[in-house]
Amino acid sequence: MTYTRETDHGTPPALATGKSVTLTIDGQSVTLPEGTSIMRAASLLGGSIPRLCATDSVESFGSCRLCLVEVEGRNGYPASCTTPVAEGMVVRTQTDRLKQLRRGVMELYISDHPLDCLTCGANGDCELQEQAGAVGLRDVRYGYDGATNMGQAKDQSNPYFDFDPSKCIVCSRCVRACEEVQGTFALTIENKGFDSKVAPSQGEDFLGSECVSCGACVQACPTASLIEKKVVESGTPDRAVVTTCAYCGVGCTFRAEMRGEELVRMVPWKDGKANRGHSCVKGRFAWGYAQHQDRILNPMIRASVSEPWREVSWDEAIAHTASEFRRIQAKYGTRSIGGITSSRCTNEETFLVQKLIRQGFGNNNVDTCARVCHSPTGYGLSQTFGTSAGTQDFDSVMQADVILVIGANPTDGHPVFASRMKKRLRPNNGKPGAKLIVIDPRRTDLVQSPHVAAEHHLPLRPGTNVAMLTALAHVVVTEKLYDETFIRERCDWDEFADWAEFVSQPARSPEAIEPLTGVKAEDVRAAARLYATGGNGAIYYGLGVTEHSQGSSTVMAIANLAMATGNVGREGVGVNPLRGQNNVQGACDMGSFPHEFSGYRHVSDTATRTLFERAWGVTLDSEPGLRIPNMLDAATDGSFKGLFVQGEDILQSDPNTHHVAAGLAAMECVVVQDLFLNETANYAHIFLPGSTFLEKDGTFTNAERRIQRVRKVMAPLNGYADWEIVQLVANAMGLDWTYDHPSQIMDEIAALTPTFAGVHYDRLEAEGSLQWPANDAAPDGTPTMHIGGFVRGKGKFVVTDYVPTDEKTGPRFPLLLTTGRILSHYNVGAQTRRTANTAWHPEDRLEIHPSDADNRGLKDGDWVTLRSRAGETTLRALITERVAPGVVYTTFHHPETQANVITTDFSDWATNCPEYKVTAVQVMASNGPSDWQQDYADQARQSRRIAPLEAAE
Amino acid sequence: MSDDTHVMSTTDRLIYMAHQIARNMATLGEARAVTALAAHLTSFWDPRMKAQIIAIAQAEPDRLSPTVAAAVAQIAQGRSAGKVDATQFNTVDEAGHCDAG
């Protein structure tokens, strides 16, 4: 396959009006939607009108004057990018006069552009070069040494791309991409006329500017002015394979552009329905970890964690794994071992791990990292709506009129979706922007950023979500803003009446809870009125909702609010959890929870169990298994002795590190399958090297229930894809699996899971992606759920009483710590810390309000001790008014900080999802890392030793 | 809980968890809360945890509230169907109902 860029039609598709017009272009008749540009029309006919400032990711601009055409009956030479098609129009795209005009324009461009084409990074992939060819430029009458623009210094501050102003043709494509696609407005054209220059922020370099390094500008640049450093280093790619990003739950699809087995660049795929051709700094650029020197490529074993690792053959490692698990089960019982599936791995791999446990281990001790993020979503939405997933696709946000964001920071956590959301929040083509309500203890970027401002920001105290949502419901009910028709049709009216009576009690009014939440009652009332009456109301939420003692209650409170206002079951509305990991939705769907099979069917359900027993030829356990925190408890009690962990770092990511460490230390065999010697591996006895998403086939399911293909672009450095490794372990335990390709695993999933019945690789190949449920009832998948009725039948109003967390502030721990993420890093940072993304966030910082800092005599950048009832750590302070007085905030991307030493064992009442978002702490000045941090670092160093290979005799 | 320690024994944690669930179900009223709690523990606790709480109910009955004690008694007698109020399961080949707890 030879490499070509994706087809660029020059201007975006017209806004749908339903009307179409017929015209003639170069003698060919064509019928197209009204509002289409002549440029796009010509391109759709297979032609290509010369152009420089137009690209179909941004609105037309009409500045380069290269795309001129002749239209019969019109004077002059209109620009085809800004001229819409009209009924009966007759267009000519190539005439002697047009050729002359275009050459004239091109001469001016080239007179001020370096002619180092052969040694230029964009050689062979440069639109200026291509257009010079297309217009037949043969001579430049003005000479080749333009007065002002050549010889300027490059800005190489960004770790992933260079900016060379000498090669800029001031087409503004980068500036418009930054505004329209990304919504950051970091770039501008400064000065006028011949002095016009692209500039990031106010005279800063790219790294120091507001730029978020999403790369939309680089993709839009027609020359080498903005170019990936990797392309400069390696040359242009020669093939492209569409695959899915392995970072967050947005699930962006990319063209992995390759030369041989070398990945040259990742370019977001325009046809990708999750990302629509956009990306963030992680997906586009931060994939260097795949080849990082820290990757472990050989299996290793050791008898105890105090010994160094010993490299062994795959055969030995697999045989040892199987014999250890069998030995432990023989000694301590069938239920003494278990495993953790990975939300970073594919659906197929996850399915196999839980199959290994249920079929091979003979128990249900399987859990996944959704335990620590969105398990309350599963519980809450199933109780109220009947299904464990978001109700909409991402496109739906474009139809929303009021957007309510609660406990989510999408510009950092889900940046590509945030760009879509911001696009809807800005006025566009005369349509006013959607209104925004943000409920968050911090003043997140969404609250106030260029051309976006929240109508209401309710900065509640961490831990008061249920009180706040009930107060919003109180206003909706007492002011009779609810949608009675919807409720009578779709829900149980008596249940609604019970709930309405509960929320209407004066004790639940905004005024009554003001002392709890710290938010002015009037603001709460105004926000409730806006959500209930502002048109399509869409709720987006994140871990700030789920990671609480009342995570499940909060999810149900959100669902109640959406049902009461009739905001479910059509485009533009809904309840949308922004899922964390790339495949956390999939991991849940695949039966990674200890109480249910794939498709969310309880293990006690005899009919479902029989289905699996027939397919797998064994008797399955009808009792639910252990959840992760329960496994650790059982381990410290001495009844749980062996754990298989695929692609998850529980020691760093799970709460109360001391508790996790004690649990792991009490086990006799911990098997870690991962790319790196992660923190959990410090307590492991067997290490099985994992493979990256670039090295395997499979599927991921994103936050919109969209199942998308992951495609292998290079051979696994470690020798096997992760699904193959699980199969080796299974067969060593006598299970006789015979999968040759992940498509066969998906066929098995489809056969056993009603919601996936129509999901097969040939369908995914044909459709690009499918949103489950995809089966006979919904052959093309389900973009919007609960249309016409809820999955469970009637929507259920669940009374959610506010029960304050037992994690309370007091004289010794007067501040509330909440945790979150930053754009440039991903969760525990195992991948992103091994990329140049560290340029933006080299360490975790503690955000603290100036008044709290003053009280403690702290200056910005000071080392501080952060102490909770669970433990203490040190990090540097960042003084900011983003957090309210009494609240501090940090990220958890760096193992040196180990923010989870601080977090406690408290968890959601229904699902044991940890309460990461509320910890009572004290902050004080410090001299540097704590004893614990030093001990931890020593232990980690000791534990990571790998013995040198003995010479063969 | 005192300010000084945050390490619960697994027994304490189990008791704590049962009461936490009960508190969140309190608005159902006593009778329904007992049934819902029993159903919840049946559906989401592994056999060892269930055995432990039953053992606690026998050895240290004072540590359980009346609601928790009644729910545990239901489980001990094998009376909880596991399908009341708190959860609703799929029938075979039916899409949808789910309970990711």
Side-chain angles (χ1 to χ4, degrees):
Chain A
M1 184 165 60
T2 32
Y3 167 79
T4 47
R5 281 197 176 225
E6 273 190 276
T7 308
D8 182 345
H9 295 298
T11 65
L15 292 175
T17 61
K19 288 187 208 150
S20 54
V21 296
T22 302
L23 73 160
T24 307
I25 300 178
D26 295 335
Q28 273 184 281
S29 176
V30 61
T31 303
L32 287 164
E34 173 184 72
T36 305
S37 72
I38 294 175
M39 175 180 283
R40 187 175 177 90
S43 175
L44 292 169
L45 276 173
S48 65
I49 298 172
R51 58 159 188 262
L52 283 170
C53 75
T55 182
D56 61 11
S57 62
V58 292
E59 297 295 324
S60 59
F61 195 53
S63 84
C64 77
R65 314 309 296 168
L66 206 61
C67 71
L68 310 179
V69 292
E70 289 182 16
V71 177
E72 245 179 54
R74 289 201 194 177
N75 291 330
Y77 304 93
S80 63
C81 64
T82 53
T83 310
V85 294
E87 189 60 41
M89 195 180 240
V90 178
V91 178
R92 272 185 292 277
T93 69
Q94 182 81 339
T95 67
D96 284 347
R97 182 65 187 141
L98 289 173
K99 287 197 291 195
Q100 196 186 359
L101 286 169
R102 287 182 190 144
R103 276 185 199 168
V105 170
M106 189 52 91
E107 267 186 278
L108 288 166
Y109 275 112
I110 298 302
S111 72
D112 185 26
H113 192 85
L115 294 182
D116 59 345
C117 295
L118 286 182
T119 54
C120 175
N123 186 20
D125 186 28
C126 171
E127 291 181 45
L128 188 66
Q129 197 178 41
E130 192 186 315
Q131 298 303 336
V135 303
L137 183 75
R138 298 294 173 257
D139 186 25
V140 175
R141 288 167 288 166
Y142 316 110
Y144 296 96
D145 48 355
T148 59
N149 285 321
M150 283 198 245
Q152 297 184 68
K154 287 184 190 176
D155 174 354
Q156 297 185 304
S157 61
N158 184 291
Y160 298 114
F161 61 83
D162 292 343
F163 172 51
D164 182 353
S166 305
K167 289 188 171 162
C168 175
I169 59 170
V170 203
C171 63
S172 296
R173 274 161 64 163
C174 56
V175 176
R176 288 177 285 140
C178 192
E179 293 176 8
E180 294 176 31
V181 179
Q182 166 57 29
T184 292
F185 296 76
L187 301 180
T188 189
I189 303 283
E190 63 181 19
N191 300 329
K192 286 185 282 192
F194 214 53
D195 292 330
S196 302
K197 277 194 182 74
V198 170
S201 296
Q202 305 289 312
E204 290 180 73
D205 61 16
F206 266 87
L207 188 64
S209 75
E210 310 269 287
C211 167
V212 294
S213 197
C214 70
C217 56
V218 179
Q219 191 179 346
C221 181
T223 71
S225 189
L226 283 159
I227 188 168
E228 297 92 347
K229 282 183 160 72
K230 179 73 176 167
V231 172
V232 174
E233 175 207 310
S234 297
T236 48
D238 68 355
R239 67 189 170 103
V241 181
V242 173
T243 191
T244 305
C245 179
Y247 278 113
C248 80
V250 175
C252 296
T253 40
F254 283 86
R255 280 162 46 105
E257 301 195 346
M258 311 290 299
R259 181 168 282 278
E261 281 210 318
E262 182 180 17
L263 178 55
V264 176
R265 67 179 165 197
M266 295 284 268
V267 180
W269 189 41
K270 283 198 278 193
D271 292 338
K273 289 179 180 143
N275 56 318
R276 303 279 179 196
H278 189 39
S279 73
C280 79
V281 59
K282 296 187 287 282
R284 191 193 293 261
F285 294 124
W287 35 265
Y289 68 84
Q291 268 81 35
H292 195 276
Q293 58 181 20
D294 286 356
R295 250 188 91 176
I296 302 292
L297 303 177
N298 297 310
M300 304 189 295
I301 63 175
R302 59 183 169 188
S304 93
V305 299
S306 58
E307 288 177 16
W309 286 105
R310 186 165 62 85
E311 290 187 351
V312 295
S313 68
W314 273 106
D315 285 349
E316 185 178 345
I318 297 289
H320 185 57
T321 304
S323 78
E324 276 296 276
F325 283 149
R326 286 300 185 220
R327 175 186 69 77
I328 291 171
Q329 284 192 303
K331 187 167 168 192
Y332 299 101
T334 307
R335 288 177 176 144
S336 62
I337 60 172
I340 299 175
T341 74
S342 177
S343 300
R344 318 290 292 152
C345 286
T346 62
N347 284 318
E348 293 76 4
E349 287 163 345
T350 304
F351 186 82
L352 287 195
V353 173
Q354 63 91 34
K355 180 176 175 180
L356 170 72
I357 291 159
R358 298 189 205 278
Q359 183 195 28
F361 295 2
N363 63 46
N364 289 316
N365 291 332
V366 55
D367 207 358
T368 190
C369 79
R371 176 66 51 217
V372 300
C373 65
H374 269 289
S375 51
T377 292
Y379 180 86
L381 293 186
S382 71
Q383 293 293 302
T384 48
F385 295 167
T387 191
S388 283
T391 61
Q392 312 296 118
D393 61 3
F394 289 145
D395 284 348
S396 164
V397 77
M398 300 313 283
Q399 310 303 322
D401 299 309
V402 179
I403 297 172
L404 171 55
V405 176
I406 168 164
N409 182 11
T411 53
D412 282 279
H414 302 83
V416 173
F417 174 67
S419 290
R420 295 283 290 288
M421 186 185 272
K422 288 201 283 186
K423 197 167 192 163
R424 179 63 196 106
L425 291 168
R426 296 190 300 266
N428 187 27
N429 284 323
K431 191 180 174 188
K435 298 272 204 301
L436 174 66
I437 303 165
V438 175
I439 304 180
D440 201 293
R442 279 174 86 227
R443 199 182 66 226
T444 56
D445 282 350
L446 263 188
V447 172
Q448 180 74 61
S449 65
H451 302 274
V452 169
E455 201 84 359
H456 304 286
H457 173 215
L458 312 180
L460 77 181
R461 266 172 79 77
T464 59
N465 284 339
V466 171
M468 173 61 77
L469 284 156
T470 308
L472 291 169
H474 176 94
V475 178
V476 169
V477 172
T478 56
E479 298 189 8
K480 303 226 176 330
L481 308 176
Y482 52 84
D483 184 342
E484 183 167 343
T485 317
F486 180 93
I487 299 164
R488 284 194 183 277
E489 257 177 45
R490 313 274 186 96
C491 307
D492 183 313
W493 183 259
D494 288 342
E495 281 172 356
F496 168 76
D498 280 353
W499 172 80
E501 195 264 316
F502 175 83
V503 301
S504 301
Q505 293 165 15
R508 300 192 165 80
S509 68
E511 290 72 18
I513 59 139
E514 191 175 315
L516 274 176
T517 61
V519 179
K520 282 202 212 86
E522 213 32 59
D523 292 349
V524 178
R525 286 192 177 272
R529 288 173 194 140
L530 175 60
Y531 173 72
T533 63
N536 282 345
I539 301 178
Y540 293 87
Y541 71 88
L543 303 180
V545 158
T546 55
E547 288 175 347
H548 287 278
S549 284
Q550 282 201 293
S552 293
S553 306
T554 313
V555 172
M556 293 190 284
I558 287 172
N560 291 338
L561 199 59
M563 286 188 292
T565 52
N567 278 315
V568 188
R570 61 177 190 279
E571 262 207 294
V573 298
V575 174
N576 304 280
L578 295 170
R579 305 292 303 241
Q581 313 270 7
N582 55 324
N583 197 39
V584 67
Q585 180 71 54
C588 298
D589 301 341
M590 292 299 103
S592 293
F593 285 133
H595 63 281
E596 60 197 7
F597 294 112
S598 60
Y600 306 100
R601 292 161 297 165
H602 201 276
V603 292
S604 67
D605 186 78
T606 309
T608 305
R609 212 171 54 252
T610 308
L611 189 69
F612 281 87
E613 286 177 342
R614 283 199 193 126
W616 295 348
V618 292
T619 304
L620 295 170
D621 194 347
S622 64
E623 283 282 351
L626 293 162
R627 301 173 283 196
I628 295 172
N630 311 144
M631 289 180 193
L632 296 166
D633 282 343
T636 45
D637 282 355
S639 68
F640 189 80
K641 291 288 187 182
L643 185 66
F644 181 86
V645 191
Q646 184 178 66
E648 183 172 352
D649 192 357
I650 56 171
L651 185 62
Q652 195 182 345
S653 65
D654 285 34
N656 196 345
T657 308
H658 297 305
H659 177 219
V660 181
L664 288 171
M667 295 184 205
E668 290 185 10
C669 181
V670 175
V671 182
V672 167
Q673 185 179 347
D674 207 284
L675 299 177
F676 305 105
L677 278 175
N678 60 18
E679 306 307 308
T680 307
N682 296 343
Y683 289 89
H685 307 85
I686 301 176
F687 187 90
L688 304 175
S691 58
T692 73
F693 75 113
L694 299 166
E695 298 166 338
K696 58 191 170 196
D697 282 302
T699 57
F700 292 151
T701 306
N702 76 355
E704 4 153 62
R705 296 169 277 106
R706 187 182 300 286
I707 304 153
Q708 305 186 112
R709 275 299 312 277
V710 176
R711 292 183 177 87
K712 181 175 170 179
V713 295
M714 56 181 76
L717 289 175
N718 57 321
Y720 293 108
D722 293 302
W723 63 270
E724 295 175 290
I725 297 166
V726 179
Q727 174 157 276
L728 289 171
V729 174
N731 286 341
M733 294 186 79
L735 297 186
D736 256 343
W737 293 359
T738 54
Y739 305 106
D740 299 316
H741 189 270
S743 62
Q744 298 160 343
I745 306 170
M746 184 53 87
D747 292 343
E748 180 173 327
I749 296 164
L752 292 169
T753 317
T755 42
F756 275 68
V759 183
H760 297 280
Y761 276 34
D762 53 349
R763 281 300 312 278
L764 292 171
E765 212 62 53
E767 304 293 329
S769 64
L770 284 170
Q771 286 176 274
W772 68 257
N775 46 28
D776 286 346
D780 297 323
T782 312
T784 307
M785 294 200 82
H786 315 299
I787 296 174
F790 287 94
V791 168
R792 73 183 294 282
K794 293 274 188 188
K796 182 179 179 70
F797 282 90
V798 177
V799 171
T800 55
D801 194 12
Y802 172 59
V803 179
T805 171
D806 286 320
E807 177 67 7
K808 298 202 193 306
T809 53
R812 290 184 57 216
F813 302 102
L815 303 172
L816 281 181
L817 169 75
T818 185
T819 57
R821 286 184 264 173
I822 198 158
L823 170 69
S824 50
H825 281 295
Y826 198 74
N827 282 3
V828 298
Q831 284 111 328
T832 48
R833 281 185 286 106
R834 292 182 171 97
T835 69
N837 276 25
T838 46
W840 286 277
H841 188 80
E843 59 183 330
D844 293 319
R845 299 282 292 267
L846 184 76
E847 292 190 6
I848 183 166
H849 189 271
S851 64
D852 290 325
D854 263 3
N855 289 340
R856 291 164 176 77
L858 301 174
K859 297 188 305 297
D860 197 58
D862 280 357
W863 281 98
V864 296
T865 298
L866 176 67
R867 182 180 296 155
S868 74
R869 293 179 183 94
E872 74 172 58
T873 189
T874 58
L875 69 174
R876 294 197 304 131
L878 178 72
I879 298 177
T880 170
E881 289 182 354
R882 276 186 167 227
V883 288
V887 177
V888 293
Y889 167 89
T890 188
T891 50
F892 55 94
H893 301 306
H894 293 271
E896 298 78 28
T897 320
Q898 279 281 12
N900 283 324
V901 172
I902 305 302
T903 52
T904 68
D905 275 339
F906 289 120
S907 65
D908 175 48
W909 64 270
T911 69
N912 275 160
C913 178
E915 188 166 55
Y916 290 116
K917 300 295 184 181
V918 187
T919 310
V921 294
Q922 177 59 293
V923 173
M924 63 208 93
S926 148
N927 295 324
S930 68
D931 291 347
W932 185 85
Q933 279 169 300
Q934 277 162 10
D935 291 349
Y936 183 86
D938 288 344
Q939 195 271 345
R941 202 166 32 248
Q942 283 291 317
S943 179
R944 289 203 172 105
R945 287 173 302 155
I946 299 174
L949 277 180
E950 286 164 37
E953 288 183 26
Chain B
M1 193 171 314
S2 89
D3 250 11
D4 292 304
T5 168
H6 208 273
V7 182
M8 272 190 240
S9 71
T10 51
T11 308
D12 290 348
R13 199 184 338 266
L14 216 56
I15 295 169
Y16 177 83
M17 280 163 53
H19 287 90
Q20 189 192 7
I21 301 165
R23 271 191 296 168
N24 278 278
M25 290 174 165
T27 54
L28 291 172
E30 176 71 14
R32 282 171 69 208
V34 168
T35 321
L37 176 59
H40 191 94
L41 302 188
T42 304
S43 296
F44 300 119
W45 282 21
D46 99 306
R48 183 176 157 274
M49 292 163 72
K50 280 179 255 195
Q52 269 180 310
I53 197 86
I54 291 168
I56 292 166
Q58 283 159 359
E60 305 172 87
D62 297 350
R63 298 192 67 189
L64 305 186
S65 71
T67 311
V68 174
V72 172
Q74 279 195 8
I75 297 170
Q77 292 158 24
R79 277 202 284 117
S80 173
K83 290 196 181 186
V84 212
D85 275 357
T87 50
Q88 182 171 16
F89 309 130
N90 279 9
T91 56
V92 180
D93 292 337
E94 180 197 16
H97 302 149
C98 40
D99 46 9

